Amino acid sequence: MRVTAILLAAGQGTRMKSYLPKVLHPVAGKPMIWHALESIKQSTTEKPVVVVGHGADEVIKYLGDSARAVLQEPQLGTGHAVMQAEALLKGITDLVVVCYSDMPLLRGATLQKLVETQKNNKGPISMLTVHADNPRGFGRVIRNDDGTVSSIVEEYVATADQLQVKELNVGGYCFDADWLWDALSRIPKNSKKGEYYLTDTVELAAKDGLTVQATVMDDLEETIGVNTRVHLSECETAMRRRINHEHMLNGVTMVDPASVYIDIGVTIGVDTVIMPNTYIHGKTEIGECNVVGPNSIVRNSKIGNRCKVLASELESAVLEDDVDMGPFARLRKGAHLGTHVHMGNFGEVKDSYLADGVKMGHFSYIGNAQIGSNTNIGAGTITCNYDGEKKHATEIGEDVFIGSDTMLVAPLKIGNGARTGAGAIVTKNVAEDTLVVGMPARPIKKLERKVKK
Ligand code: UD1
Ligand code: CA
């Protein structure tokens, strides 16, 4: 059986008061429409159709080839929106799932059940409802005395009695496709707003004596639709709670999950502890037995095992195992710290590789550099990598000792076992096992290297 989803995303989202189309506002790091597309995947067999209108260019650009887009112009209501997909889908799908793209918490499993319900329904519509004390502007589900659904009434046209109804229209439907196309041509133009409401198909079915299956959902949270930024924050909180629960059930400790902000798609290994006020964004992979936070921000990065990341920021960076960083350390794009690297307070590393066992304790900037294993970077060391026009590379060998406050004027190579005196300004390459001092730094003696374990 061919099942196709139509996602409605053409509305202006006026109440968001935003330059960004509503469905592109992110929840847990992904646009709302991503969540909608993700949820309908499990229950449909064909590529989804997204109805776009307001901000169409931006939405279409985001969708890429994950969906087929049809334009609704002007936007004359949810029924009119579905009509725009008819030409594309008529005759090539058996069931149509219609969802609004502003419900990021709706689970795939719920839609799967909805489709199953419709497969067993002799009538043309199955829909989702929920009981709630706060109606939030949702349409009311009106039932006959025998319990069958007779119509959906939008809040602004509802009578006082109808407004008392606690059963709400969630906004997820599965239709018999052939019946739907015909019904769409029959829905009346709403006299007040001049719009065509998809919800009016329910009354059409009921009047034809056909069964509308209304499944009552028990998870109210799933049904949150985003109309304002207040709703957006409610979704964010709920989604974050969901994500954190999953990590905890997979063996991650969170001292205070309410203050941990993890995007969709982040992976974290067992026995890692995420401390409060920590943000983990984008495509980030974290291994086992780490302690991340408190007060850390990690984005698009990879962290190995047994690392400590205290009050630090990582952006597109890699930590191998047993790295110890922070507090107040900053890794920018392309920073790669090998095993057992220690990076202390107020350091910054960008586009550089620090090999195993490098120690960089305090106040340094390392950019466009390769640093050999077990080298010590003294406090206040700077790679002067930028001459105002170009970036230049610095290569520092193994077992090097860079004295405090050394300026390494790139391009520059420092041989294995070399040392620089405190305050040296190094403008020329330094040979192996050589001590250089002063400004500009000059060699003063040859060293005998102590072999470290
Ligand atoms: C809608 C339902 C209401 C339900 C509620 C649940 C209708 C008439 N009402 O109301 O019963 O309780 O959702 O959240 O369907 N859209 C278009 N084109 C349009 C108009 C809307 O694509 O011309 C899209 C919007 O982008 C949005 C969705 O349809 O994603 C719902 O529209 P919205 O205006 O938010 O409907 P509600 O008033 O919330
Ligand atoms: Ca809505």
Side-chain angles (χ1 to χ4, degrees):
M1 193 173 249
R2 297 162 302 181
V3 186
T4 312
I6 302 175
L7 294 177
L8 306 193
Q12 187 169 12
T14 323
R15 289 164 283 178
M16 293 295 282
K17 302 192 175 153
S18 177
Y19 295 114
L20 190 68
K22 177 162 88 173
V23 297
L24 295 184
H25 278 260
V27 170
K30 300 274 190 193
M32 281 197 262
I33 192 148
W34 180 91
H35 293 273
L37 288 166
E38 213 38 43
S39 310
I40 50 101
K41 255 186 204 159
Q42 302 164 29
S43 53
T44 54
T45 60
E46 318 295 310
K47 201 177 229 194
V49 176
V50 177
V51 182
V52 296
H54 274 280
D57 292 347
E58 269 177 278
V59 178
I60 289 173
K61 190 167 159 224
Y62 174 77
L63 291 173
D65 57 8
S66 66
R68 298 171 276 180
V70 294
L71 191 65
Q72 183 197 18
E73 187 63 61
Q75 290 86 36
L76 299 178
T78 48
H80 180 255
V82 176
M83 287 176 206
Q84 311 311 309
E86 180 177 344
L88 198 63
L89 296 180
K90 200 170 184 172
I92 61 162
T93 189
D94 302 299
L95 295 181
V96 172
V97 177
V98 179
C99 283
Y100 306 146
S101 317
D102 58 358
M103 305 173 62
L105 296 169
L106 195 62
R107 291 179 192 272
T110 305
L111 290 172
Q112 233 166 351
K113 270 190 246 155
L114 177 70
V115 171
E116 283 316 307
T117 306
Q118 181 53 29
K119 282 182 182 166
N120 298 313
N121 182 10
K122 289 202 180 68
I125 309 178
S126 295
M127 57 178 283
L128 299 170
T129 76
V130 74
H131 290 283
D133 289 328
N134 178 358
R136 303 169 66 100
F138 278 31
R140 308 297 202 275
V141 178
I142 310 300
R143 292 187 185 253
N144 299 311
D145 293 339
D146 64 358
T148 56
V149 177
S150 68
S151 66
I152 298 169
V153 179
E154 291 308 307
E155 184 163 271
Y156 81 101
V157 290
T159 63
D161 277 354
Q162 288 169 334
L163 285 176
Q164 296 308 310
V165 171
K166 298 266 186 271
E167 187 176 8
L168 310 176
N169 173 33
V170 168
Y173 321 82
C174 185
F175 294 95
D176 175 87
D178 292 335
W179 183 88
L180 174 66
W181 309 133
D182 175 62
L184 288 174
S185 70
R186 291 191 285 143
I187 52 179
K189 191 177 200 164
N190 182 279
S191 55
K192 267 197 195 157
K193 291 202 174 168
E195 294 189 342
Y196 298 90
Y197 288 166
L198 181 65
T199 41
D200 285 343
T201 56
V202 169
E203 191 170 350
L204 287 177
K207 280 189 175 149
D208 290 349
L210 304 169
T211 314
V212 176
Q213 287 283 0
T215 307
V216 184
M217 292 169 59
D218 32 46
D219 181 4
L220 188 59
E221 196 177 79
E222 248 188 273
T223 70
I224 298 178
V226 176
N227 293 330
T228 68
R229 303 215 193 206
V230 175
H231 303 147
L232 183 66
S233 77
E234 288 170 10
C235 275
E236 183 74 37
T237 305
M239 185 61 82
R240 200 149 32 83
R241 200 179 316 125
R242 250 191 218 177
I243 293 169
N244 289 353
H245 275 193
E246 204 172 306
H247 286 299
M248 289 188 278
L249 293 174
N250 288 339
V252 175
T253 292
M254 290 184 194
V255 176
D256 175 22
S259 70
V260 168
Y261 306 78
I262 303 180
D263 282 356
I264 293 257
V266 169
T267 61
I268 309 179
V270 298
D271 287 332
T272 283
V273 179
I274 310 292
M275 299 293 276
N277 198 30
T278 290
Y279 302 73
I280 307 175
H281 296 304
K283 207 181 155 342
T284 293
E285 288 169 40
I286 299 179
E288 301 181 350
C289 306
N290 298 286
V291 180
V292 182
N295 306 328
S296 291
I297 303 171
V298 181
R299 186 184 292 277
N300 297 331
S301 295
K302 209 169 160 181
I303 297 179
N305 304 312
R306 299 176 302 278
C307 295
K308 288 199 183 80
V309 179
L310 167 62
S312 293
E313 184 179 23
L314 283 75
E315 166 89 44
S316 305
V318 175
L319 302 189
E320 292 181 18
D321 296 341
D322 302 289
V323 171
D324 169 18
M325 67 180 286
F328 317 119
R330 179 170 187 218
L331 295 187
R332 290 167 54 205
K333 186 180 72 58
H336 181 164
L337 309 190
T339 57
H340 290 103
V341 164
H342 165 70
M343 181 175 171
N345 47 276
F346 306 109
E348 174 180 335
V349 175
K350 187 217 77 177
D351 270 326
S352 296
Y353 174 59
L354 279 58
D356 305 351
V358 167
K359 306 268 180 286
M360 169 179 161
H362 341 258
F363 309 103
S364 287
Y365 170 60
I366 300 296
N368 305 87
Q370 304 284 314
I371 303 182
S373 53
N374 299 316
T375 282
N376 187 87
I377 304 292
T381 296
I382 306 286
T383 51
C384 309
N385 62 330
Y386 184 52
D387 59 12
E389 279 171 24
K390 278 196 196 125
K391 300 276 165 64
H392 300 283
T394 302
E395 265 178 56
I396 304 176
E398 299 171 3
D399 301 314
V400 170
F401 184 93
I402 303 289
S404 294
D405 229 349
T406 296
M407 300 295 124
L408 300 164
V409 182
L412 193 66
K413 285 186 185 165
I414 312 265
N416 294 338
R419 293 176 76 104
T420 69
I425 297 185
V426 186
T427 57
K428 292 202 180 85
N429 292 348
V430 177
E432 282 199 1
D433 303 311
T434 301
L435 170 63
V436 298
V437 298
M439 199 284 282
R442 60 199 188 281
I444 55 167
K445 72 169 175 186
K446 206 69 184 161
L447 299 163
E448 227 162 279
R449 209 179 321 169
K450 285 181 223 117
V451 183
K452 280 186 201 152
K453 272 170 247 133

